[in-house]
Structure formats: C-alpha cells, structure tokens
Amino acid sequence: MALSMVLSPLLSVVFRKAADSLITKICQIHGLDNCRRKLHRQLLAIQEMIADAEEHRVESRAVQEWMKDLGAAANEALDVLGEFQYEALRQNAISQQSCASAKVIKDFFTHENHLVFHYKMRKKLTKVLGKIDEIVTEMNKFNFIRRDPTPTIDRETHSFVVESEIIGRDGDKEKVVSELMDPKQARDNVSVLAIVGIGGLGKTTLAQMVYNDERVKKHFQLLMWVCVSTEFRVSNIIKYVLEVTTNESDISISNKEVLQRRLRETLGRKKYLLVLDDVWNEEKEKWDELRTMLFFGAGSGSIIMVTTRSKEVAKIMGTLPSHDLEPLNEEDSWTLFKKKAFDVGFEEPPEELCAIGRTIVRKCVGLPLVVKAMGGLMRTKPEVHDWRAISENNILNGLQTLTKYVADSGKGDSIGELNNLNLLSGHMSISGLESIRDEEDAKTANIATKTKLCSLKLEWGLTDSKEATKNDQVLLEALVPHYKLKYLAIYGYSSSDFPKWMKEALIIKNLKRLRLNRCINCAELPPLWQLPSLENLYLQEMESLIHIVGGTCMHAHGRESVITFPNLKVLEVESLLNLESWHEENSELIVFPKLNKLEIHDSPKLISTPIHAPLLSILEITNSSEIKLHQISKLPMLSYLHITADTPPSHPDAFRPTKTLEEMVIGGFENVNPLEEENQNCQTKTLHELTINESNCFFSDGPTGELALGFWKYFDALESLNIWFCDALVFWPEQEFKSLKCLKLLSIHACYNFTGSLQESSSPTPNGEDSLAHLESLELISPTSGGEDSLPHLEIVELSSPTPGGEDSLPHLEILLISDCSQLVEVPVHSKSIKHLIIDSCPKFSQEDRGNFNLTELTTLEISNCTNWIAWPNNMEHLPSLERLHISNCQGIESFPEPLQQSLSSLQCLEIEKCPILERRCRKGGEYWHLVSPIPEKKFPTEAGKNTKWKSFSRRLLCIRGR
C-alpha cells in the first residue's frame, strides 16, 4: 500500500487516541497531561498539512523521507498511548472488583509501582514528543498549504438486525443454521462456510440473521463479528477479534508472536462462531496465515462464516460447500418494494401504481438493496406520471453502480445492453464472456465511454473450444476501456496473445493495478514496463509464460536496452509453472527502481529474484525451490523475508541475512551453508524475529554438521525465535544458542526427535557468558494430533542447569508454557524467576522431581490434562508468591501438600474443574473450605458462570512480560 494511503488514517487514529478520555485521565493522574495536550496539538497541525504533503511526495525525495519519519513517529506515539490506555483499563478492571478483591490486589496501587510507571511513561512520552517536534519543525520549512484533514470512510458492519424487516430469507437462514449445527462439524477443529453473492443481494443481512438466532447462540460458546472489507491485514483482523471478545478498544500489540499467544488465551479452546463480513482478499497466503492463528486455540466444532462477492474467496477459504445466495423471487421483491414505497398498514395502494411498481420491481432483478433503494425513491414521487417515466426508462440508467454483469447469450442476454450506461462508476465486473460470440455485440457495449469507471474485471469461464480461444482476442480487442482506468483484471482469457490496446501505453497509461489470472495460453506479456503509473502487478496461473520480458530489446545504436518498471511497487507471481527468468536474454537488463514488495508462489522453475531492486523490503517466496538463496543475501534494503520450499532444493546453496533484515521465516532447506563474507563486520544487528521451519541446515546434527553454527553469528540481536518440525534438533542446542544474548521469546514446536537434554560432549557455559540470559518466555509444544505412532518422545532431563557459581542461568525467564509433550515428567527449566507456569496435556507428568530449584517467584500456575499427576513435586510444594491457581482435568490430584495449604488463603483466584476429589474438599463443608473461603475469586463446577470478569482480567494479566 502506498505511504500516502496509510499516513492519513494512521494520523487520524493517533489524533483520536491522544484525546481519548481514559488516556486523558491517566495522564492527569501521573502529571503528564501537558505532554499529552502538546502531542494532540502537534498532530492536529500535521493533519492540516498532510494532504498537501502527499501531493508533493512524488516530486520531492525530501518529502518522501519526511513522510517515512512521520509514519515511524506516529506508530511509536500509538504504542505509547496504547500503554497509557492499557494502564487505565487495568485500573478500571481492578476498581470494579469487590472491596475484598481490592484489598488483596492492593500491590498494584503501591506508591512504588506508581512511581515506576510515571518514570517509565514520562521518558517514553517525552521521547516521542521530541521526535514529533522535530518533524513539525522540518514540516514548516516545506511551506505546505494548510487544508482540512480528509475524512476516511470505510464500510463498517455490525451483528445487529431487525429480523421483522427482512423479506424472503427465512429459507436461506434455516439452511445455514442447519449447516452450522450439523453434528458432523464437531469432527473438525474449525470449519469455514462462505455465503457468496453479488453486491446488494443481502449476504450481510443473512449472516446477521444467523448470528442472532437463539439456537446458534446456545450452540456456540463464543460469538464474534468482524467486518473485514477491502483491506485484509491479518494482524488487524486478529486485533478486531480480540477487541470484540475482551471489550478492549484499540489493542496496540504489534508483535505477531504476542498477538498469537493473546488470541490463543482468549479463544481458550471454546467452540466459537466467527463472522468475517465482506471479505475481498483472493490471496491464499494471507488466508493461510490468518487460518493458522484462528485454528490454534479453537474448540472442536468451531465455525468461521465468511460473506463475500467472490467465488474465488469462497474457494480459497471454505472447507464446507458455499451457500450461494440467489436473488429474491418476484413476490418477495414486490413485498419489500411495497414496504418501502407505500404506507403499509393503511389503505391499499392505487392499482395503477401497483401495476407500474411491479414493472419497476422486475427490473431490479431480485437485488434487495436495489429494491429498497427504488422503493424509497418512489415513496417521494406520488404522481403516476413520475412512476411511469421511471418504469419506461432502463432502470439501470438511474443507478450509478453495477457491480456485476453476467453475460449469457444462450439466454438471450446481450452485452450490448451496457451501451448507454455511461454513468456507471466505481467497480464493474463482466463475467460469462465465453458465451459471447458476436464481436459487434462487444463493441456495442461501448466500455470506452464509461469514463467514471475506475475498476474493470473481465472474466471468461472454462471452455475447451478452439473456436473460443480464437474468439477471445477479438472479443477483448472490442472491450477496450477508457484511458482513465486505474484497475484492470482479466480472468480466464484463453488466446495466446493480448490485444493491441494492451500493447499501446497511451490507452492504459493511467493504470495503477493490473491482474492477469488463468491466461493459460499467453506466452508473452504486453510491454508493461511502458506503463508509467503501474504500481501493482499480479500474475497468476499463466502456464505458458516463460519470461516476464521476452525477446531482446535493442537501442537504435545496437546495444541491448535496459527495461525499467518505473513505478512498480508490488509484484506478485503465483502458479507460473514454467516461468524461468525475468528476461529471456539477460535478467540483469530489468530494473525495478521502486519495487517494495515481491511475492513468488508455486513457480518451481524460476531460478532467481530480480537482480536490480534497490528498495525491495518485503520478499515472500513459497514452493519455488530453485531460487538461489545467495542472491537474496545481496538485496540492500530487505527487512522482511519469508521463504519456504515444498521440497528441498536440488542444488547446494549458501546464505546470510542481509544487514537490514528485521524478520525472517525460512522453511524446507537442508543443503545450505552460511555465506562467508570477506568483511567480518557485515553481521546484521536488526534481525529481531526468526522462524525456522523444517530446515535442519541450521543445527549441528543436521546435514551440514558443524558448518551450521556459522549461521548463528548473524542472530545475536534476535528477540523472538520459533522452531518448527526440525528433526535434526535432538539435544538442547547449547552451541547454537551461545550468541543469543538478547533473546526474550523462544518456542519449540513439533520437533519430534527433541529430547531437551544436553549432549554428553557439551561443557557448561562459563560464568559471565550465560546464553539466553534475557529469556522471558519459553514454549515447548508438540502437537499430538497425528495418532499414537507420531507422538513425540520428549524426555527432558533439564534444559538449563545452574551455572557453576550457583546463579540462575535464565534470570529473566518469566513465562513458561509446556503443551502436548507426551513424555514430559517434570518442569524442564530451572529458573527462579518464573512467574507464570502453564502445563497442558502432558499425561506422564508425575511426582518425579530431580530438580533442586524453587519457584519462589511464581504468581500464576495453570495445570490442565495431566492425567498421571498424583503427588506434587517438592519444588511446587512451597509457592509463597502464588496469586492464581488453575487445575483442570487432573483427576489424580486429590489434595494439596501441607506447605501449599498454608498459602491458599493468600490466593487471589482459585479455579478447579474436573478434579472431583479435590473439588469436594475445596467446596463448602469440605476439609479445605476454611483455607479457600477467604479467596476473593474462586470457581468450582457448581459455581460455573460466576466471576467471568475476573477470569477475563487474569487472562489479560497472563500475557504481560517483565522488561
């Protein structure tokens, strides 16, 4: 997305948040309101100038750099204001508890904590205000012209509906409700149902009816509604989900790992219904990323219900057959029209108006939105001659938008019907073009005269006819658009060549976005580099395309010409199965001076990324295993890299992260060595987040042996590390982790050979050189969904032992999550600093205790599904700092050890479920009742449904990490 499209709405969000009443109050409490008010004034001054700045951006490099700095500062301000907002919400949540609760958790309001927060936030707010001051000072030198801030308008929907106002959708509702509640859905973790139909058909209305059905409300434990609309950003959608489930506004988490963990805690394995309304995204990779986050933490039988205009979206997202919404029948349309056009309930409308009205209704072709619009319009025109005039004209001339036209000559349809609709504006899609055989009919449509259209989609369906293949080029030649068109998409075009107007830059010189999909016979692209305004190019399923630029372009003097895509910022290629190179003769002749984002998917013969792309910062490559990693290492501005191969590349390769890289996901690589550089100071200091997936080349027990250790010198600035499905990870990788001095978050998932123990040849880390010294969160998760034979054999002895000096080797570790480790018998980490310990689905965890450390700082302990836990380990008997204890489905736990009994009365929250003997002892009349009765918040099965506010609050506290 262009920077200018991002800054205005971002500034609006920050500006509103700076004036938020909660934030204002908390700033006043801490004596920081002067800084907040100054920030608000400065943001207003910038907003008044930003429109003029965006116009100067194209011609001024200095303005471009200024806007980048402004965006960074605005994001930083948003984060700071978000911290103030969270503190205000936290204090509100605490103040809403009972007096007893407030007394127990008084430590949150101690004078010391108040001063710590004040000092920390004053420092952050002063820092960001200084940056904004510099930006305003520089802004004043540009002499921008002050303008009113441009309002941003987004389509927004909600779940509320007045069902009595809905006509003709009861049958659709019953079908969808029946599908959602079908017992077979419980077999799957999450199913996806798409409601598909053209604009104005009532997809959102149907979803609202289903969402509010009482049977649905009882069937699902959690219901959520999110309006997605045109911008499909995974992190934003997750934030919206969190907002509607927690009732928090403007969730400001930016780290994806933290966001994913927060979502998992919020879903809590509940059976949920999530409505994603108005989805337009047709990029499978984005949906795959969102699906992974939404599926993990969901209860069996959960449903995601999607509304969309696109069958492609339904195909990509849906796991269940889609519900294709049909137009209203004529009687339902007439009933709806009457409701809007006449005073229903009074006298019957005149027969003459009813007859004309039925004619108008037939021309609305069953679209509820159009029927209601026309009914409302006719309500203002009581005269018969007005009704007759409208009925005798083509009703579509009275509408300014036609979202979709389906051509079908077999039913007598003529694309020439579009001839006089020159008021059409916005987006139009014409499908069914394979049925049109008459070139003159296509010419009569007169697409070139529809100058208000900014977006045009032309689509051919599947056909095996050779005649159709020849006809497509003639037809597309006749459908030439006007020169102002901004977005063009062509689907299913079967000719081997494109029409002349696509080869002439003057015809489509203003085109900004171009999508070519399923043009399977096209072996050569038009000269797209001649389009001066083209910013986004999407090429998908073009099986015959071998080169992006074919042939040799020569200068008049006989030299090979350099091909430049002057303004291209986003390039995506997908399922180009025979694409080999960027240029037929020499790929070095192609230059992408402004390319910022490149995605390459399922293009197995492509051997390289573009050589000349100086501003490329985002690179995503999947299932294109012939691309050379060592070429990626030369990209000078790369900040995000996602590269995964479905099969290991056939060639040996070498790689190192670029010096600007901030986040990397790499998967499916085996025979790769570290790329050595002559300059030993080339190590990256910016790489903060790394995910390694099925890439054994990074571990010394992998195919490259000790050479793998050379990679880890590039990772010394890492803060977050995720490791998935690495069979070469057997022992605790002490040598690999030696350089990870900054690591805070470590997750190891589904590494089935991982034992966690130190290799016999390993020697203790010398004092003063502790690896993982700043680790705050450790997750060990081994999914067990593959059946008994695929269960992991995790036999952890210890992941880190105290250093020879007796000091804790993980002094900052605060959160430890262990899940689905079938062979785990004890807590594998010996760290005194652990505050939050979660053990889930570890059936062999028992009374064994080979450790000699104490969990004296532990405040939260959650134990679930540990069926073999009979007695408490010695190091869990004395927990003096414990505040929250949750035990679920551990039938073997029948009692509390004596030292722990003495601490029960100081707990803030106790939850016990599916532990029958322990529950009985803790309930009123049981032997532990006198110990647990003082606890402010406690939950046993007989009290289900109570104290939900506290549970929600405790879940939010769980994801806080110390700094």
Side-chain angles (χ1 to χ4, degrees):
M1 181 179 290
L3 183 62
S4 60
M5 296 174 67
V6 175
L7 266 181
S8 292
L10 173 62
L11 289 171
S12 297
V13 170
V14 183
F15 180 76
R16 289 196 302 270
K17 184 162 279 193
D20 181 84
S21 59
L22 278 175
I23 293 174
T24 299
K25 184 177 179 181
I26 199 71
C27 286
Q28 289 170 345
I29 291 173
H30 287 276
L32 298 173
D33 199 47
N34 285 337
C35 292
R36 182 201 61 80
R37 285 190 286 112
K38 183 177 181 182
L39 176 62
H40 190 255
R41 290 195 304 271
Q42 297 287 51
L43 289 169
L44 177 60
I46 294 171
Q47 275 192 303
E48 291 174 341
M49 301 293 188
I50 195 64
D52 193 50
E54 287 172 348
E55 289 189 6
H56 286 81
R57 179 181 60 86
V58 177
E59 60 196 43
S60 171
R61 178 73 177 177
V63 173
Q64 292 176 21
E65 293 301 317
W66 176 81
M67 291 181 75
K68 285 183 181 178
D69 292 342
L70 172 59
N75 274 306
E76 188 173 339
L78 192 62
D79 288 341
V80 173
L81 292 171
E83 291 190 54
F84 278 111
Q85 186 176 43
Y86 177 79
E87 177 65 12
L89 289 169
R90 187 179 69 84
Q91 292 191 14
N92 276 355
I94 293 174
S95 67
Q96 289 170 9
Q97 307 303 312
S98 65
C99 294
S101 302
K103 183 178 180 182
V104 172
I105 52 181
K106 63 183 179 180
D107 60 298
F108 286 116
F109 288 106
T110 61
H111 179 64
E112 179 184 1
N113 281 350
H114 180 92
L115 290 178
V116 169
F117 181 82
H118 171 86
Y119 173 77
K120 180 180 73 171
M121 296 312 298
R122 179 174 62 81
K123 187 175 180 181
K124 288 186 176 183
L125 189 56
T126 302
K127 180 182 176 183
V128 75
L129 192 56
K131 291 182 178 180
I132 296 289
D133 282 342
E134 291 179 8
I135 285 169
V136 171
T137 300
E138 190 174 357
M139 177 186 73
N140 293 332
K141 296 177 183 178
F142 288 120
N143 296 318
F144 295 135
I145 299 172
R146 179 176 279 104
R147 302 180 186 178
D148 290 333
T150 304
T152 56
I153 302 173
D154 292 315
R155 181 178 187 263
E156 187 64 58
T157 66
H158 53 77
S159 61
F160 179 74
V161 67
V162 180
E163 195 157 336
S164 60
E165 296 287 321
I166 311 304
I167 304 294
R169 291 303 185 201
D170 290 339
D172 292 287
K173 172 189 166 183
E174 289 304 313
K175 286 180 182 178
V176 174
V177 170
S178 176
E179 184 70 31
L180 298 189
M181 299 181 66
D182 192 321
K184 70 183 180 183
Q185 312 304 359
R187 294 184 223 142
D188 297 319
N189 191 28
V190 182
S191 302
V192 183
L193 173 68
I195 299 174
V196 185
I198 63 175
L201 206 50
K203 301 179 295 296
T204 297
T205 300
L206 175 58
Q208 290 168 332
M209 293 173 69
V210 172
Y211 188 92
N212 286 281
D213 187 272
E214 288 301 322
R215 294 166 295 174
V216 171
K217 290 180 179 179
K218 291 178 181 178
H219 183 73
F220 294 97
Q221 298 169 286
L222 185 63
L223 282 84
M224 301 166 284
W225 181 285
V226 174
C227 178
V228 179
S229 200
T230 54
E231 185 176 343
F232 193 97
R233 297 190 62 175
V234 173
S235 56
N236 283 354
I237 294 172
I238 296 302
K239 289 177 184 179
Y240 298 153
V241 169
L242 291 173
E243 285 179 8
V244 298
T245 51
T246 64
N247 291 322
E248 296 180 34
S249 60
D250 292 328
I251 290 180
S252 56
I253 302 171
S254 57
N255 184 288
K256 283 187 179 179
E257 178 64 18
V258 178
L259 201 62
Q260 189 269 343
R261 187 177 294 112
R262 177 75 181 278
L263 176 67
R264 186 172 69 234
E265 294 166 356
T266 302
L267 296 180
R269 298 188 179 179
K270 297 184 182 76
K271 179 167 65 175
Y272 68 73
L273 170 65
L274 169 62
V275 175
L276 297 178
D277 187 39
D278 196 26
V279 177
W280 292 73
N281 170 65
E282 295 184 351
E283 300 172 41
K284 185 176 182 297
E285 295 297 320
K286 289 184 179 180
W287 164 237
D288 286 344
E289 181 183 358
L290 178 62
R291 178 182 59 192
T292 300
M293 298 184 77
L294 290 174
F295 279 32
F296 194 49
S300 295
S302 294
I303 301 282
I304 299 173
M305 186 163 64
V306 177
T307 71
T308 181
R309 300 184 184 189
S310 168
K311 289 189 176 180
E312 185 68 19
V313 170
K315 177 183 173 183
I316 290 171
M317 298 180 70
T319 63
L320 301 173
S322 63
H323 183 87
D324 294 332
L325 199 57
E326 298 294 335
L328 296 177
N329 61 43
E330 187 170 334
E331 280 309 307
D332 285 336
S333 296
W334 172 240
T335 302
L336 181 59
F337 180 87
K338 280 200 304 181
K339 202 169 186 177
K340 296 296 180 181
F342 305 111
D343 290 319
V344 178
F346 295 95
E347 61 185 27
E348 190 69 14
E351 286 186 12
E352 189 174 8
L353 288 185
C354 285
I356 300 172
R358 283 187 175 274
T359 301
I360 293 174
V361 164
R362 280 192 291 272
K363 292 188 176 184
C364 293
V365 293
L367 296 176
L369 191 64
V370 178
V371 173
K372 287 191 287 187
M374 294 310 299
L377 174 65
M378 303 322 295
R379 191 185 190 93
T380 67
K381 299 182 180 298
E383 301 298 328
V384 173
H385 67 85
D386 290 327
W387 283 56
R388 186 173 289 116
I390 290 176
S391 71
E392 290 173 354
N393 288 321
N394 187 330
I395 193 67
L396 293 178
N397 280 325
L399 305 174
Q400 291 193 355
T401 59
L402 173 63
T403 57
K404 189 167 186 177
Y405 180 89
V406 181
D408 189 346
S409 59
K411 294 182 178 180
D413 293 345
S414 167
I415 195 174
E417 293 174 334
L418 299 173
N419 179 280
N420 295 316
L421 304 183
N422 294 331
L423 293 178
L424 291 173
S425 62
H427 171 77
M428 184 170 72
S429 170
I430 303 176
S431 61
L433 288 171
E434 73 282 357
S435 69
I436 303 298
R437 292 286 176 264
D438 188 349
E439 178 186 359
E440 290 303 317
D441 189 26
K443 288 181 178 178
T444 305
N446 222 354
I447 301 298
T449 63
K450 292 152 184 58
T451 57
K452 293 187 178 181
L453 281 180
C454 64
S455 173
L456 177 63
K457 178 180 177 181
L458 303 173
E459 184 170 7
W460 282 260
L462 297 176
T463 178
D464 295 327
S465 169
K466 292 184 178 179
E467 181 183 349
T469 300
K470 296 178 182 178
N471 186 65
D472 284 3
Q473 185 175 358
V474 175
L475 199 61
L476 186 55
E477 190 73 70
L479 293 173
V480 55
H482 64 90
Y483 72 94
K484 295 180 182 178
L485 196 70
K486 302 293 185 186
Y487 171 57
L488 174 64
I490 299 175
Y491 285 73
Y493 177 72
S494 62
S495 179
S496 60
D497 197 11
F498 287 99
K500 291 180 182 178
W501 60 263
M502 289 190 70
K503 300 177 182 180
E504 297 174 0
L506 288 177
I507 299 293
I508 49 176
K509 66 177 182 179
N510 292 307
L511 204 63
K512 289 192 171 184
R513 298 179 64 194
L514 173 63
R515 185 183 296 273
L516 302 176
N517 187 306
R518 289 188 286 108
C519 303
I520 59 174
N521 294 316
C522 292
E524 189 172 316
L525 292 174
L528 302 178
W529 56 90
Q530 295 180 2
L531 303 181
S533 301
L534 188 64
E535 294 181 354
N536 298 265
L537 175 59
Y538 307 93
L539 306 174
Q540 297 162 314
E541 296 184 55
M542 300 181 67
E543 297 175 7
S544 300
L545 191 65
I546 299 176
H547 313 285
I548 299 296
V549 177
T552 303
C553 300
M554 306 294 291
H555 274 303
H557 302 293
R559 297 194 309 273
E560 289 180 317
S561 175
V562 173
I563 304 298
T564 301
F565 287 77
N567 212 32
L568 194 66
K569 296 179 175 66
V570 175
L571 173 59
E572 296 184 15
V573 299
E574 180 179 357
S575 298
L576 272 56
L577 301 182
N578 291 297
L579 183 68
E580 295 178 0
S581 66
W582 303 95
H583 192 289
E584 183 175 356
E585 301 291 337
N586 183 356
S587 290
E588 291 196 13
L589 296 176
I590 295 189
V591 179
F592 297 91
K594 294 186 179 180
L595 189 65
N596 175 260
K597 180 181 180 182
L598 172 63
E599 293 190 21
I600 304 171
H601 305 293
D602 299 300
S603 300
K605 294 185 179 180
L606 187 61
I607 61 173
S608 72
T609 54
I611 296 172
H612 302 297
L615 298 183
L616 186 62
S617 64
I618 300 172
L619 177 59
E620 298 185 23
I621 304 173
T622 60
N623 300 339
S624 306
S625 55
E626 291 304 307
I627 290 179
K628 306 293 191 301
L629 285 173
H630 69 268
Q631 292 182 337
I632 296 174
S633 302
K634 298 177 182 178
L635 294 170
M637 297 295 289
L638 195 64
S639 62
Y640 175 81
L641 172 63
H642 181 125
I643 180 165
T644 56
D646 53 341
T647 56
S650 59
H651 52 80
D653 207 346
F655 173 74
R656 69 165 177 81
T658 64
K659 290 186 286 186
T660 55
L661 198 61
E662 297 175 7
E663 182 178 349
M664 180 169 74
V665 178
I666 186 166
F669 289 90
E670 298 288 330
N671 194 12
V672 180
N673 292 322
L675 181 63
E676 295 297 334
E677 295 287 336
E678 294 180 4
N679 179 9
Q680 296 301 315
N681 295 321
C682 64
Q683 298 174 353
T684 177
K685 299 294 182 182
T686 58
L687 184 60
H688 298 307
E689 188 168 343
L690 172 63
T691 297
I692 299 173
N693 183 18
E694 294 185 281
S695 294
N696 291 314
C697 60
F698 287 93
F699 301 100
S700 55
D701 285 327
T704 59
E706 295 293 324
L707 289 174
L709 299 176
F711 282 116
W712 295 85
K713 67 183 179 183
Y714 299 114
F715 303 154
D716 58 347
L718 271 187
E719 296 181 1
S720 175
L721 173 60
N722 300 280
I723 303 172
W724 289 78
F725 299 106
C726 290
D727 295 335
L729 186 60
V730 179
F731 300 102
W732 181 252
E734 188 172 36
Q735 294 298 315
E736 287 85 344
F737 286 179
K738 270 185 178 179
S739 61
L740 305 184
K741 306 292 185 181
C742 302
L743 196 69
K744 296 179 180 178
L745 309 176
L746 173 59
S747 296
I748 300 176
H749 299 252
C751 297
Y752 294 115
N753 294 329
F754 182 51
T755 66
S757 58
L758 292 174
Q759 203 163 7
E760 291 183 4
S761 58
S762 297
S763 56
T765 305
N767 246 341
E769 295 183 13
D770 295 346
S771 62
L772 308 184
H774 292 85
L775 193 68
E776 297 171 1
S777 176
L778 172 61
E779 292 185 352
L780 303 176
I781 301 177
S782 297
T784 60
S785 58
E788 196 67 33
D789 292 338
S790 65
L791 292 178
H793 302 287
L794 189 61
E795 299 175 352
I796 298 180
V797 179
E798 56 182 24
L799 292 189
S800 65
S801 56
T803 58
E807 295 181 0
D808 193 347
S809 63
L810 298 175
H812 295 280
L813 182 66
E814 293 194 357
I815 300 177
L816 175 59
L817 168 62
I818 307 172
S819 176
D820 298 290
C821 297
S822 65
Q823 302 299 315
L824 182 74
V825 296
E826 65 147 341
V827 176
V829 173
H830 294 183
S831 176
K832 298 177 182 178
S833 59
I834 296 176
K835 293 185 177 180
H836 306 290
L837 175 59
I838 303 99
I839 304 173
D840 182 25
S841 300
C842 299
K844 290 194 176 181
F845 196 99
S846 65
Q847 73 272 23
E848 296 182 41
D849 178 39
R850 295 187 290 273
N852 56 3
F853 75 110
N854 293 315
L855 296 170
T856 55
E857 300 295 320
L858 194 70
T859 62
T860 300
L861 175 60
E862 294 193 16
I863 308 166
S864 305
N865 306 308
C866 295
T867 53
N868 202 39
W869 188 322
I870 299 174
W872 291 77
N874 293 334
N875 58 355
M876 286 193 188
E877 289 189 353
H878 182 60
L879 304 173
S881 302
L882 194 65
E883 298 173 357
R884 289 171 290 278
L885 175 60
H886 174 94
I887 305 173
S888 174
N889 196 26
C890 301
Q891 292 87 347
I893 301 181
E894 300 179 354
S895 63
F896 294 120
E898 182 66 29
L900 184 56
Q901 291 182 29
Q902 305 307 315
S903 303
L904 289 177
S905 59
S906 62
L907 291 179
Q908 297 174 18
C909 178
L910 173 64
E911 294 179 291
I912 302 175
E913 53 186 341
K914 298 182 181 178
C915 304
I917 296 177
L918 187 61
E919 290 171 23
R920 188 165 59 249
R921 288 178 165 177
C922 290
R923 285 199 291 265
K924 194 169 184 177
E927 61 188 279
Y928 290 156
W929 175 247
H930 69 288
L931 298 175
V932 304
S933 58
I935 300 174
E937 307 293 337
K938 47 191 173 292
K939 179 181 176 183
F940 311 120
T942 55
E943 301 179 66
K946 295 184 180 180
N947 304 324
T948 53
K949 285 185 178 179
W950 170 256
K951 186 168 184 179
S952 173
F953 179 59
S954 70
R955 291 290 184 186
R956 291 200 299 272
L957 281 179
L958 187 58
C959 57
I960 302 174
R961 292 181 176 80
R963 288 290 182 261

